[in-house]
Amino acid sequence: KGKKDKSNNRANTHNHARPESSKSEEEKQNEAPFNKVWRDMFPPPSVVAESTIEELRAVGLSNRKASYVIDIAKHFVDGRLSAEKLDALSDDELIKALVDVRGIGPWTAQIFMMTQLNRPDVMPTADLGLQKGAQRLFGLNKLPSAGELEAMTKH
């Protein structure tokens, strides 16, 4: 799989929020209601990256999840991840970049790509439900491996 073709039918419905200072008042007024809620609800990555685990525990996160949230925020602050990269990287490049974040594995990266980035051509081959479905559909004696499941999806 190569770089994503910008001319494909993948809708870019994920709002890649820019820092508040770069949004005009008109842009803020015309923003979809859903995006307004999320923009106002969450602090920018720079604030999260400087947060302590204790501060994030105070809003309901476990120690482990707080460390994951801080790590992904740091990836956005230092440029390892960005809204532009989420859209521009090939599937393989994006999976690698996401898996570099503590707490994100291949399955999470693939599901994120499918559900949030509208990349329907991603196959979460480590998904147990898909493996069981393929086993039943093809009458296999055992669950297919990730590689076997990937091979089954090739045209």
Side-chain angles (χ1 to χ4, degrees):
K1 295 184 183 186
K3 236 181 188 7
K4 286 293 177 188
D5 178 5
K6 298 293 181 185
S7 65
N8 69 9
N9 290 330
R10 180 169 39 106
N12 188 5
T13 58
H14 183 71
N15 179 32
H16 302 298
R18 292 182 286 163
E20 283 307 301
S21 60
S22 69
K23 285 190 177 183
S24 71
E25 284 304 314
E26 183 178 345
E27 286 177 306
K28 290 178 188 176
Q29 291 296 323
N30 293 329
E31 197 171 39
F34 176 81
N35 292 334
K36 286 181 188 178
V37 169
W38 290 108
R39 174 179 46 85
D40 294 340
M41 189 179 263
F42 295 107
S46 58
V47 172
V48 176
E50 296 299 320
S51 298
T52 65
I53 289 183
E54 293 74 27
E55 289 170 322
L56 295 179
R57 283 194 46 80
V59 297
L61 296 179
S62 67
N63 283 341
R64 187 175 307 257
K65 286 187 180 167
S67 72
Y68 296 163
V69 168
I70 290 169
D71 193 49
I72 197 166
K74 287 179 179 178
H75 277 70
F76 274 87
V77 169
D78 67 21
R80 288 177 283 173
L81 286 175
S82 68
E84 295 75 22
K85 285 182 180 179
L86 291 177
D87 194 43
L89 292 175
S90 72
D91 291 344
D92 291 338
E93 292 168 328
L94 185 53
I95 288 170
K96 182 182 179 333
L98 290 171
V99 169
D100 283 346
V101 176
R102 200 175 21 218
I104 297 179
W107 182 87
T108 301
Q110 291 166 335
I111 296 299
F112 172 76
M113 291 165 63
M114 288 172 41
T115 62
Q116 300 303 306
L117 301 179
N118 298 315
R119 294 190 183 192
D121 56 334
V122 174
M123 172 61 97
T125 55
D127 186 276
L128 183 59
L130 285 176
Q131 291 172 347
K132 285 184 175 186
Q135 180 185 21
R136 177 182 270 176
L137 179 66
F138 295 108
L140 304 174
N141 293 328
K142 63 181 180 106
L143 291 177
S145 68
E148 290 168 333
L149 192 56
E150 181 76 30
M152 290 175 193
T153 65
K154 299 293 181 198
H155 300 292

